[in-house]
Amino acid sequence: MANKTIEDYLKAIYQVDVDQDGAGTTELAERLGIAPASVTGMLKKLAAQDLVTYTRYQGVGLTNAGRAIALDVLRRHRLAERYLADVLGLPWDRVHDEAEEWEHVLSDDVAARMDAALGWPSTDPHGEPIPSARGDVPPLADTPLARLRPRHTARVARVSSEDAEFLRYLGSMGIYPHVALTVLTIAPFGGPLTIEVSGQCHAIGQGVAERIFVVDISPLPAAEEPA
Amino acid sequence: MANKTIEDYLKAIYQVDVDQDGAGTTELAERLGIAPASVTGMLKKLAAQDLVTYTRYQGVGLTNAGRAIALDVLRRHRLAERYLADVLGLPWDRVHDEAEEWEHVLSDDVAARMDAALGWPSTDPHGEPIPSARGDVPPLADTPLARLRPRHTARVARVSSEDAEFLRYLGSMGIYPHVALTVLTIAPFGGPLTIEVSGQCHAIGQGVAERIFVVDISPLPAAEEPA
DNA sequence: GATAATTATTAGGCTCTCCTAAATAATTGA
DNA sequence: TCAATTATTTAGGAGAGCCTAATAATTATC
């Protein structure tokens, strides 16, 4: 495998690049906690190793080789998170930081054993999909809670955050993957939405609702929604 | 905690220093797979941080602070080995290399959880004692198999080696911690000894017998042995 | 107790990965 | 379109941790 630094870069590029097309130097720098100038230098190096495609001022993308490594790291990371949570009982707001180290250290064999011990799970404790050993990632079929209409009920699919405090906040409301919730009201002009989670009502901000991804499970799918 | 490099140095110093008094530069260099000149430089740095006592041309020793870190690393290492073997089913000849990485990565909390999951084991899969979280190491009460007299039966306490091939060799004879064996003959002039392990006889070299530590469990302790 | 052999240290350098400051390209908006 | 802003890159440099070659101290040997 590559070294820790390279793995971190490739993973970051993958994650920035997932939705967008091509990752920007500054965004990468922020994610990695590194100065933009330093990132430029490293990108040249990664390009020389054919792990990324890099054109000055144009951003980076992963080559197949680079993507393979990135997915491998991501797989280890999420597998480790799941393991730490399910087997060692670590709370979900602490698994990320720990896994950040484990991802660089797990051998293929140990990762495979952890995978088997867990029963080949498909997601990490935050609901993020665990890439397969072959590097396949199931497509996501969820939408941000913020996009749900009032009266709709949905199941939490995943929570897109690594911030421990944020995760504890969600936990305090009982919001975890697989939990069902219902949108009661949505205040206009980017105002808060009120939701019901396991019998309790909460008001949450738009920003929060943007990071919670759900799958609508309302009984009346199409008719309910006027075009 | 300290960084990986420092942890490795301190652990190496501890291990070289356990039996002997003060570790030599060359021996450390060999253990670390580094040139002696490089070790000298690092020792100065460690001394400046009050982790070791170092005098030019005189060797190094650990300070209390240094020993605390060394024991901490050793604890993580051996705990990881035990975990890898008992929980994840890794064969004993593979746990060392893996643990060499884990030791730098396990948080206190995770180590404690692993410890509890294992039922607070006292040794690693090779029989080496696991230092307590407070840094206590139980004194060893074993002797090299090579020092046993013929006819004596002993129980394997630990195997002092990290070499995978060597461990597989021992495994092929059924030699593991807790296993009982009997010395049948010892050839003179550093010749081989023949031993019986679970009904099977084997001839092993002196060098091998030096690395297997046992506790004598023969029925007749004192009378059998003429002064 | 002098010389040879061993062991350890200094000197000078290299690579990796990061930094800041300055320069340049790209983008935005007036 | 041109100026201002923002994003990115170049230039020059620093610290960590390693290296080899040369030198110095210690230990062993006669």
Side-chain angles (χ1 to χ4, degrees), chain A residues 64-197:
Chain A
N64 286 336
R67 185 176 301 103
I69 294 176
L71 286 168
D72 212 34
V73 176
L74 206 57
R75 167 177 164 75
R76 287 166 213 274
H77 180 96
R78 292 182 176 165
L79 210 43
E81 286 188 332
R82 175 102 269 166
Y83 192 87
L84 287 161
D86 288 12
V87 177
L88 290 169
L90 217 65
W92 83 330
D93 59 297
R94 299 243 304 280
V95 296
H96 174 78
D97 288 351
E98 207 82 36
E100 203 69 12
E101 303 286 338
W102 286 41
E103 67 188 10
H104 303 296
V105 151
L106 295 181
S107 68
D108 281 344
D109 185 34
V110 169
R113 285 165 192 266
M114 285 174 31
D115 196 15
L118 290 164
W120 300 278
S122 58
T123 66
D124 74 10
H126 312 109
E128 301 284 357
I130 299 174
S132 78
R134 264 186 282 77
D136 303 320
V137 196
L140 298 173
D142 50 25
T143 50
L145 172 56
R147 212 147 303 159
L148 221 61
R149 298 288 78 208
R151 300 286 186 71
H152 279 238
T153 294
R155 200 170 289 287
V156 176
R158 67 191 165 98
V159 166
S160 179
S161 174
E162 301 158 350
D163 184 64
E165 208 171 332
F166 181 73
L167 293 171
R168 281 196 297 277
Y169 167 56
L170 296 189
S172 74
M173 296 184 289
I175 296 179
Y176 294 104
H178 305 302
V179 168
L181 51 75
T182 303
V183 175
L184 303 176
T185 66
I186 303 182
F189 303 111
L193 27 177
T194 53
I195 57 176
E196 186 183 320
V197 188

Side-chain angles (χ1 to χ4, degrees), chain B:
Chain B
M1 275 289 277
N3 69 32
K4 185 174 150 66
T5 305
I6 290 179
E7 289 184 1
D8 280 337
Y9 269 88
L10 295 175
K11 188 180 63 153
I13 294 167
Y14 176 84
Q15 289 180 317
V16 169
D17 202 14
V18 170
D19 352 70
Q20 306 159 46
D21 50 339
T25 303
T26 305
E27 194 174 357
L28 270 178
E30 272 165 16
R31 179 175 285 262
L32 291 164
I34 276 173
S38 308
V39 172
T40 298
M42 185 59 71
L43 291 183
K44 287 184 189 168
K45 202 162 143 182
L46 294 175
Q49 293 180 242
D50 276 320
L51 296 171
V52 304
T53 54
Y54 167 68
T55 341
R56 290 173 46 195
Y57 295 101
Q58 299 292 117
V60 247
L62 294 168
T63 62
N64 286 335
R67 184 175 302 103
I69 294 176
L71 286 168
D72 213 34
V73 176
L74 206 56
R75 168 177 164 73
R76 287 166 213 275
H77 180 95
R78 293 183 175 163
L79 211 43
E81 287 188 331
R82 175 103 268 165
Y83 193 87
L84 287 161
D86 289 13
V87 178
L88 290 170
L90 218 64
W92 82 328
D93 60 295
R94 299 243 303 280
V95 295
H96 174 78
D97 288 351
E98 206 83 36
E100 203 69 11
E101 303 285 338
W102 286 41
E103 67 188 10
H104 304 297
V105 151
L106 296 181
S107 69
D108 281 343
D109 185 35
V110 169
R113 284 165 192 266
M114 284 174 31
D115 196 16
L118 291 164
W120 300 277
S122 58
T123 67
D124 74 11
H126 312 109
E128 302 283 358
I130 299 174
S132 78
R134 266 186 279 78
D136 303 321
V137 196
L140 297 174
D142 51 25
T143 50
L145 172 57
R147 213 148 301 157
L148 221 61
R149 297 290 78 207
R151 298 285 185 71
H152 280 239
T153 294
R155 200 171 289 285
V156 175
R158 68 193 166 96
V159 166
S160 180
S161 173
E162 301 159 348
D163 184 65
E165 209 173 331
F166 181 73
L167 292 172
R168 280 197 298 276
Y169 167 55
L170 296 189
S172 74
M173 295 185 289
I175 296 179
Y176 295 103
H178 305 302
V179 167
L181 51 76
T182 303
V183 175
L184 302 176
T185 65
I186 304 184
F189 304 108
L193 27 178
T194 54
I195 57 176
E196 187 185 320
V197 188
S198 40
Q200 294 269 340
C201 290
H202 304 277
I204 61 173
Q206 277 283 338
V208 172
E210 287 289 353
R211 311 191 80 72
I212 301 171
F213 290 78
V214 300
V215 174
D216 197 333
I217 54 169
S218 305
L220 322 159
E224 171 96 45
E225 196 75 52

Side-chain angles (χ1 to χ4, degrees), chain A residues 3-54:
Chain A
N3 71 34
K4 188 175 148 64
T5 305
I6 291 179
E7 289 184 1
D8 280 337
Y9 270 88
L10 294 175
K11 188 180 64 154
I13 294 167
Y14 176 84
Q15 288 180 318
V16 168
D17 204 15
V18 170
D19 351 72
Q20 306 158 46
D21 50 338
T25 303
T26 305
E27 193 173 358
L28 269 179
E30 270 165 18
R31 179 175 285 262
L32 291 164
I34 277 173
S38 307
V39 171
T40 298
M42 185 60 71
L43 292 183
K44 287 183 188 167
K45 202 162 144 182
L46 294 175
Q49 294 179 241
D50 277 319
L51 295 171
V52 304
T53 54
Y54 167 68

